[in-house]
Amino acid sequence: MPGRTFIPCILLLALAASVRCGEPESLRAKACALMLAGHESEAVEAYRAAAEQGDTNAEIALGYAWLDGEGVPADPETARHWFARAAEKGSARGQYALGYLFDRTGEYELARRYYRLAAEQGHIPALCNLGVLLENGDGGPADIPEAVRLYQAAVDQGDELAALNLARLYDSGAEGFERDSAAAAHYYRISARRNHPDGQYAFGSACCHGDGVEQDYAEARRWFRYAAAAGRPEAMLALGILYRDGKGVDQDYAAARRWFREAGEAGEGAGFTSLGILDYNGTDREADFTAAARNFRRGAELGDPRAMLYLAECCRDGDGVERDCAKAVEWFLRAGDEKEADAYQSLGRLYFDGDGVERDCEAALRCFERGAELGDAASMTMAGYIHDNACGVERNRKLGFEWYSRGAEAGDSTAIFNLGIMYENGEYVEKNLAEALRRYRQSARKKNIHALCRLGQLYLNGSGVPADPRLALRCFSEAAALGSGEAAYELYRLCGEEGAFSAGPRLARRWLVRAADAENPAAQLELGRQLKEEKSPEAESRFAAVWNHKGAAAPLLSAACLELAGGYLAAGDIEKAGRLIEEAAARVPPETLYELYRVFRRKYPETARPALEAAAARKHQPAVRELERLRKQ
């Protein structure tokens, strides 16, 4: 928003007028002395006496007293009377004051009229304020070229605020007015050199980002310091970032923390947020979640949306505060209300996963849609996933495709990958392997591990492309370097004895361990079996990891369940065996339950019986017959 110039209090008006001999001037001098002494009511009476004798400066000062309620009750109508008396005499200051009153009360047409009268006499604040009205289209049609002319006239007379307004106009590129970053930087520099704190901060930002001027962090720091000394909290924050990142200065976390704290205490919530990030990540000292949460809370209370988001995440995860998902929801919503798109995405995932709250896919979808409205690509993708996979809503491939397309256009790699899946499988769209490959490659270029793994599979199997194990190896290697357990497991298989690139058992084992450590359930199961053969006690923990894995496929769960059962049988651990059977009743097919019964029935028949009964209850015929046989005994 362009800034208006406002004449200060009546004390400064009094000081601005020279005192000559004569009754009105003496009264005005007396009024000035009374105002300096803090006797506002007596000062107003002295101004009134001078004004009633026709003193123009006293009339203006008296008008401001009535307008702002200094020494008298605020009364715009009385203020208007005194301003009008001065304006009718042709006083530029009186015309400006009357224009200011109309500007303040929203009577912009009249404000334009009196500002223009004052501006025609070269009154600097009137030039600036008339420019603002013309720029905004207040009180009449917008006229950007005329606003620029007026601002320039004020700049030529030394006005720093008009320079700032011109800079912002060039910086933003108003409608019909092309953005010009070099011109913006030029006028920011003028405003900065004339000691306007906003201009100093803005020119420092231009230097910091190389926007319209050559990037120069040292110069940016100089202007940020001036603005910070004038009390601009944004400049304090900017200085903290420079010290944190070592730009234009030696990296100095202590100085960064000092500036972040000063920014926060000056009212800039992002200062406390930046402190919280340092505390949470342990950037310069041991991580301190409690201090991080405390700083996020202070930033959030000052209205910083990112602080609200991070505080919500702390409440959700129990980092530095007691886990409280209800509070997390509250802070996510507050951050979302402040247009923080990531907050809606995080809240949507909370409802989608049912993590600490009741699972509610419809609520999740609403959150993702709101995040999408704010431009969050990942929210678009999740909205598509819910429709595509019928998560709590009726399956709608068309909506899924449309949301994925929006996410892809916004650059989300997962959306691009999901479009590839739809084209490969012919879901909603006609099957098109060439388009699927194009989407996979596009997603892979964005380092999407799912796309890299899918490309690896296609190259390995020759599906839609000529078989090329070397390209498959390259895709899996890149995905594994990004932390993909699936890719690491494929590399284990490729490098194993029967793989296309047999590289010896040591390398294969390293890939297997890496895949298992990345929580790939197939790798965990295979590593557990190898450790079991080696009689390693670690085997049980690997099987347990598969059993506790939320996304493990049913065959893997069954296999891990039976492996654990065998281990408990061998160790004679009836307590663990009983818990396993109790959990398995709701998690594995009846065939696996029957196998569990057979594992334990000879040595521990009572422990085995619940597994048999659970399998029989699900109509598994061998279990039904066995249960009938036992009942007849």
Side-chain angles (χ1 to χ4, degrees):
M1 285 288 291
R4 288 171 167 80
T5 299
F6 295 133
I7 292 293
C9 70
I10 56 176
L11 169 60
L12 297 183
L13 282 169
L15 292 172
S18 58
V19 178
R20 297 182 297 277
C21 295
E23 186 64 22
E25 290 79 5
S26 299
L27 287 168
R28 187 157 26 85
K30 177 183 177 183
C32 179
L34 288 167
M35 189 64 71
L36 284 169
H39 302 301
E40 293 180 353
S41 297
E42 293 91 333
V44 168
E45 289 305 315
Y47 279 130
R48 187 195 306 277
E52 287 173 348
Q53 295 184 44
D55 186 88
T56 302
N57 286 321
E59 290 168 341
I60 297 169
L62 191 56
Y64 278 111
W66 283 102
L67 182 63
D68 296 327
E70 295 185 10
V72 289
D75 185 347
E77 284 303 312
T78 303
R80 179 175 178 173
H81 165 75
W82 289 109
F83 289 151
R85 281 183 54 162
E88 287 166 1
K89 299 174 185 177
S91 164
R93 291 170 61 198
Q95 292 161 347
Y96 167 82
L98 193 54
Y100 167 49
L101 184 149
F102 289 128
D103 193 351
R104 185 160 152 170
T105 58
E107 299 171 84
Y108 296 123
E109 287 186 34
L110 289 170
R112 280 195 184 202
R113 180 192 305 172
Y114 286 99
Y115 279 153
R116 189 174 296 281
L117 288 171
E120 287 170 354
Q121 297 189 61
H123 190 274
I124 296 173
L127 288 164
C128 185
N129 288 8
L130 180 57
V132 173
L133 293 178
L134 291 168
E135 180 183 344
N136 293 339
D138 293 331
D143 189 342
I144 301 297
E146 178 64 6
V148 170
R149 187 189 71 78
L150 291 165
Y151 289 148
Q152 186 63 61
V155 171
D156 292 343
Q157 294 187 63
D159 189 64
E160 71 280 0
L161 183 57
L164 185 63
N165 287 348
L166 261 181
R168 288 170 172 165
L169 193 58
Y170 281 110
D171 203 3
S172 63
E175 187 175 349
F177 193 79
E178 188 175 352
R179 184 177 188 272
D180 186 336
S181 59
H186 168 72
Y187 286 105
Y188 281 139
R189 183 188 284 112
I190 291 174
S191 180
R193 287 175 173 170
R194 292 175 182 174
N195 296 319
H196 197 293
D198 288 356
Q200 292 166 338
Y201 170 69
F203 185 60
S205 295
C207 293
C208 189
H209 299 107
D211 191 12
V213 292
E214 185 176 350
Q215 190 173 55
D216 187 337
Y217 293 120
E219 185 73 354
R221 181 172 68 97
R222 182 167 77 91
W223 288 107
F224 286 151
R225 280 191 172 277
Y226 287 138
R232 275 298 301 266
E234 298 94 332
M236 301 171 194
L237 176 66
L239 283 167
I241 292 170
L242 290 180
Y243 279 104
R244 181 196 66 195
D245 298 341
K247 291 180 176 178
V249 291
D250 292 334
Q251 192 171 56
D252 185 341
Y253 288 113
R257 283 181 174 274
R258 185 170 62 252
W259 281 114
F260 287 148
R261 186 170 289 105
E262 286 194 31
E265 289 171 352
E268 176 55 68
F272 288 126
T273 308
S274 299
L275 275 176
I277 292 170
L278 291 176
D279 292 327
Y280 191 92
N281 294 333
T283 306
D284 57 327
R285 58 183 68 165
E286 188 175 351
D288 186 341
F289 291 164
T290 301
R294 184 168 57 247
N295 279 313
F296 291 149
R297 183 176 296 279
R298 294 185 72 182
E301 289 169 350
L302 286 171
D304 183 55
R306 296 301 288 182
M308 297 174 191
L309 172 65
Y310 296 146
L311 180 58
E313 291 174 347
C314 287
C315 292
R316 178 195 64 195
D317 301 333
D319 289 338
V321 293
E322 186 176 347
R323 189 167 194 253
D324 187 338
C325 286
K327 277 289 182 188
V329 169
E330 178 186 329
W331 282 112
F332 279 137
L333 286 172
R334 286 185 61 177
D337 288 343
E338 295 296 326
K339 312 301 183 185
E340 183 59 58
D342 286 349
Y344 285 125
Q345 183 202 144
S346 296
L347 182 56
R349 290 185 181 276
L350 196 69
Y351 283 123
F352 184 80
D353 296 334
D355 184 13
V357 296
E358 186 176 351
R359 191 166 193 254
D360 187 340
C361 289
E362 290 185 1
L365 179 59
R366 288 195 296 272
C367 290
F368 293 137
E369 287 172 344
R370 293 184 72 179
E373 288 170 5
L374 294 172
D376 183 62
S379 291
M380 300 172 193
T381 304
M382 284 303 299
Y385 183 87
I386 287 175
H387 287 296
D388 187 22
N389 294 276
C391 301
V393 298
E394 187 177 347
R395 187 186 303 277
N396 190 325
R397 298 282 196 194
K398 179 177 181 293
L399 280 176
F401 182 83
E402 289 173 355
W403 276 115
Y404 289 153
S405 297
R406 286 183 60 184
E409 288 172 8
D412 186 68
S413 66
T414 302
I416 299 167
F417 170 74
N418 288 348
L419 286 174
I421 292 288
M422 295 188 86
Y423 278 110
E424 183 180 356
N425 297 333
E427 295 167 346
Y428 175 67
V429 292
E430 187 176 346
K431 189 171 183 176
N432 187 333
L433 286 177
E435 180 63 15
L437 280 166
R438 188 182 77 82
R439 295 289 185 172
Y440 291 148
R441 288 170 178 145
Q442 183 184 2
S443 180
R445 285 194 292 272
K446 292 177 174 288
K447 307 300 182 184
N448 184 281
I449 59 176
H450 302 296
L452 286 163
C453 287
R454 187 65 193 136
L455 280 173
Q457 291 288 353
L458 294 176
Y459 285 124
L460 188 62
N461 300 325
S463 302
V465 291
D468 192 333
R470 291 190 179 279
L471 273 178
L473 183 70
R474 185 186 305 169
C475 290
F476 289 136
S477 297
E478 187 174 349
L482 294 168
S484 169
E486 178 188 352
Y489 185 60
E490 291 298 335
L491 288 169
Y492 156 71
R493 296 173 64 186
L494 281 170
C495 296
E497 290 182 6
E498 299 179 3
F501 299 95
S502 179
R506 287 188 178 180
L507 179 59
R509 179 65 169 260
R510 281 204 297 271
W511 282 120
L512 181 62
V513 170
R514 189 165 169 180
D517 288 345
E519 299 184 357
N520 179 268
Q524 290 168 327
L525 182 65
E526 176 62 22
L527 182 57
R529 285 171 171 166
Q530 291 186 14
L531 291 168
K532 176 183 169 183
E533 289 180 8
E534 297 164 8
K535 302 189 183 308
S536 169
E538 190 187 341
E540 181 184 331
S541 67
R542 294 296 181 174
F543 295 137
V546 181
W547 180 244
N548 294 322
H549 196 289
K550 289 183 178 179
L556 295 174
L557 278 178
S558 294
C561 181
L562 292 172
E563 291 286 2
L564 285 170
Y568 297 154
L569 178 65
D573 195 332
I574 302 304
E575 185 179 347
K576 284 186 178 180
R579 285 201 302 270
L580 178 67
I581 290 171
E582 185 179 342
E583 292 174 12
R587 298 187 62 197
V588 297
E591 295 83 1
T592 306
L593 289 169
Y594 186 61
E595 285 300 315
L596 272 178
Y597 161 72
R598 296 180 64 188
V599 168
F600 290 107
R601 66 179 177 181
R602 290 189 179 178
K603 196 169 183 180
Y604 304 108
E606 293 303 317
T607 302
R609 184 68 174 255
L612 178 65
E613 291 172 346
R618 292 162 67 180
K619 310 302 182 185
H620 182 64
Q621 289 307 307
V624 170
R625 291 193 294 270
E626 176 69 7
L627 188 58
E628 288 176 355
R629 184 186 69 79
L630 290 176
R631 285 171 177 168
K632 290 177 182 179
Q633 289 181 352

